[in-house]
Amino acid sequence: MHQRSTHQRSTHQRSTHQRSTLQRSTQQRALAGLALAAAAIVTLAGCSATSSASTTDDAAWKTATSAQSAGGMDALVKAAKAEGQLNVIALPPSWANYGKIIDGFSKKYGIKVNSANPNGSSADEVAAVKSQKGQSTAPDVLDLGNAVLQQNLGLLTDYKVANWSDIPETLKDADGKWTRDYTGLMSIGYDSSKIADAPKDLNDLLGSEYKGKVSIAGDPTQANQAASAVYLAALENGGSADDITKGVEYFGKLKQAGNFQNVLPTQATVASGETPVVIQWSYNNLAWGPAAGSSGNKNWKTVVPEGQALGSYYSQAINKDAPHPAAARLWQEYIASPTVQNLYLQAGAFPSTLAALEQSGKVDKDALEAAGGMPKDYVELTDDQATAAAKVLSAKWASTMGS
């Protein structure tokens, strides 16, 4: 995500020079008697099985913890095609190549992808799952930042993709409730036609040149990308992953200086010049610049601040009440595949299966070279640290920013 313009989603600069970097037979479980009863109901109703949520196959796939456990990959594809739809949420097309990823899934399987609230946050994703429970419009799959993920594990179901072993143990739940999928680095995107000198770090943004110009991707109490901007500010100002209070204080200073712009940045606001400086994931800043062609900002540049690089993997998960359970599982298989993992990499995001892709020779070497490899001084908050950080933000952000 995930705001996605909160979850938003070539060449980087460190200090004043550019550097490349960057950087988520079918085995039926129903008893024969239940299957006969279901068939009888359909016969009595005198209608065809056109509702994806009412088939026996869906009942089986709703609890399937792997494709193999419910008949294999061919059976999964067949069931997903019968459902015919997949509901995704908070996935802007420019975020980590999701435009191409969604189009590729739809074309490969003939499944319509319904993309809701593309600029929503991780919190928005969870709210939709809760408010639309039991409805055909509810999200099938989620792409969540870690703090929100850890607070909502009860909404998710276990599933392990076929290439489960390609995902490092540290990047997945042991039972398959979630898997990390891709990460980038926190970066500063800026319009070089409005900012004369490239900023080296976040503290440069406190200068008078940046008055009314600096924005982040949403509300840090709800959006992982915005929260990560606060985490980076903490690392740069004597704080740590264990205590991000210094990051909140930094943004208080940014507002007091008149430099904080309380506008949600999007590709459109960057292209128009409305949001000339944006702190967000590097793959999003890269996507909004010259790489976007006519829809981007040709003057947009990306800087990964000096010092420790701050990253955060987004996690893929399935709504346990997904209205299209087979399509949801097929989506997980698809995005874990080498094809899609390389699409993440092409966008400047590091996929979770990168080591396996390199070992097998399936990695997109050009994309990897452009991304520059994972930095050695990379920092990511642990589950416990992200949970603690969320508490700090909840307690201090609104009062510090006067909102």
Side-chain angles (χ1 to χ4, degrees), residues 126-127 161 221 241 248 260 305 311 341 391:
V126 169
V161 294
T221 66
V248 178
F260 184 73
Q341 294 282 290
K391 292 178 180 178

Side-chain angles (χ1 to χ4, degrees), residues 85-89 112-114 135-141 323-324:
Q85 297 188 55
L86 174 75
N87 298 339
V88 302
I89 185 171
K112 179 183 178 182
V113 178
N114 306 307
Q135 300 178 30
S136 62
T137 57
D140 289 305
V141 290
H324 309 103

Side-chain angles (χ1 to χ4, degrees), residues 25-190:
S25 71
T26 301
Q27 246 182 338
Q28 297 290 348
R29 292 191 169 188
L31 296 174
L34 290 178
L36 288 172
I41 290 171
V42 172
T43 301
L44 289 171
C47 62
S48 60
T50 57
S51 172
S52 65
S54 63
T55 66
T56 348
D57 282 346
D58 274 355
W61 285 108
K62 196 170 186 65
T63 56
T65 56
S66 68
Q68 185 178 8
S69 73
M73 190 61 68
D74 289 344
L76 175 58
V77 172
K78 182 180 178 180
K81 286 184 174 181
E83 291 174 348
Q85 297 188 55
L86 174 75
N87 298 339
V88 302
I89 185 171
L91 298 181
S94 64
W95 177 288
N97 250 344
Y98 267 118
K100 289 183 179 179
I101 292 169
I102 290 171
D103 287 346
F105 180 80
S106 186
K107 289 176 182 177
K108 182 172 184 177
Y109 297 112
I111 295 171
K112 179 183 178 182
V113 178
N114 306 307
S115 182
N117 194 10
N119 291 328
S121 66
S122 292
D124 290 334
E125 295 184 58
V126 169
V129 169
K130 293 178 178 178
S131 66
Q132 298 176 41
K133 181 177 180 179
Q135 300 178 30
S136 62
T137 57
D140 289 305
V141 290
L142 302 168
D143 183 283
L144 296 168
N146 198 31
V148 174
L149 171 74
Q150 297 303 321
Q151 295 165 10
N152 294 281
L153 296 175
L155 301 178
L156 314 176
T157 192
D158 297 342
Y159 186 77
K160 296 182 179 181
V161 294
N163 61 333
W164 183 251
S165 61
D166 288 348
I167 305 170
E169 294 297 325
T170 56
L171 299 181
K172 59 190 178 186
D173 173 65
D175 296 322
K177 197 171 293 293
W178 51 263
T179 58
R180 307 286 194 239
D181 203 16
Y182 59 89
T183 187
L185 300 180
M186 264 293 113
S187 67
I188 303 169
Y190 72 99

Side-chain angles (χ1 to χ4, degrees), residues 61-387:
W61 285 108
K62 196 170 186 65
T63 56
T65 56
S66 68
Q68 185 178 8
S69 73
M73 190 61 68
D74 289 344
L76 175 58
V77 172
K78 182 180 178 180
K81 286 184 174 181
E83 291 174 348
Q85 297 188 55
L86 174 75
N87 298 339
V88 302
I89 185 171
L91 298 181
S94 64
W95 177 288
N97 250 344
Y98 267 118
K100 289 183 179 179
I101 292 169
I102 290 171
D103 287 346
F105 180 80
S106 186
K107 289 176 182 177
K108 182 172 184 177
Y109 297 112
I111 295 171
K112 179 183 178 182
V113 178
N114 306 307
S115 182
N117 194 10
N119 291 328
S121 66
S122 292
D124 290 334
E125 295 184 58
V126 169
V129 169
K130 293 178 178 178
S131 66
Q132 298 176 41
K133 181 177 180 179
Q135 300 178 30
S136 62
T137 57
D140 289 305
V141 290
L142 302 168
D143 183 283
L144 296 168
N146 198 31
V148 174
L149 171 74
Q150 297 303 321
Q151 295 165 10
N152 294 281
L153 296 175
L155 301 178
L156 314 176
T157 192
D158 297 342
Y159 186 77
K160 296 182 179 181
V161 294
N163 61 333
W164 183 251
S165 61
D166 288 348
I167 305 170
E169 294 297 325
T170 56
L171 299 181
K172 59 190 178 186
D173 173 65
D175 296 322
K177 197 171 293 293
W178 51 263
T179 58
R180 307 286 194 239
D181 203 16
Y182 59 89
T183 187
L185 300 180
M186 264 293 113
S187 67
I188 303 169
Y190 72 99
D191 189 329
S192 60
S193 70
K194 299 179 184 297
I195 303 298
D197 298 320
K200 299 181 182 66
D201 53 35
L202 296 188
N203 285 317
D204 282 352
L205 306 184
L206 294 170
S208 58
E209 183 181 4
Y210 296 91
K211 190 166 295 292
K213 291 185 171 68
V214 183
S215 60
I216 59 175
D219 182 347
T221 66
Q222 300 188 43
N224 180 58
Q225 183 170 211
S228 294
V230 182
Y231 304 163
L232 179 61
L235 295 178
E236 288 193 8
N237 288 278
S240 68
D242 290 316
D243 184 2
I244 57 103
T245 303
K246 294 288 186 182
V248 178
E249 293 174 357
Y250 163 84
F251 276 95
K253 293 177 182 177
L254 193 71
K255 182 170 184 180
Q256 289 173 4
N259 295 3
F260 184 73
Q261 184 184 27
N262 192 21
V263 174
L264 177 64
T266 65
Q267 185 169 344
T269 65
V270 163
S272 69
E274 182 183 357
T275 53
V277 181
V278 181
I279 306 170
Q280 65 175 353
W281 295 124
S282 49
Y283 49 80
N284 289 325
N285 273 324
L286 289 171
W288 294 359
S294 60
S295 60
N297 184 332
K298 66 179 182 180
N299 299 308
W300 195 252
K301 298 185 183 300
T302 302
V303 172
V304 175
E306 296 177 339
Q308 292 181 315
L310 189 283
S312 178
Y313 278 92
Y314 282 85
S315 293
Q316 302 297 322
I318 298 172
N319 174 7
K320 70 178 182 180
D321 296 311
H324 309 103
R329 286 157 174 78
L330 185 58
W331 172 260
Q332 300 299 311
E333 297 285 358
Y334 176 69
I335 59 177
S337 69
T339 296
V340 176
Q341 294 282 290
N342 274 317
L343 283 175
Y344 287 133
L345 187 59
Q346 289 167 19
F350 295 111
S352 61
T353 65
L354 181 58
L357 289 173
E358 290 184 274
Q359 187 173 3
S360 65
K362 296 179 180 179
V363 71
D364 183 326
K365 294 182 180 179
D366 290 339
L368 182 60
E369 183 178 354
M374 288 286 283
K376 294 181 180 179
D377 54 354
Y378 174 86
V379 175
E380 179 172 9
L381 273 63
T382 65
D383 294 349
D384 289 343
Q385 287 170 336
T387 299

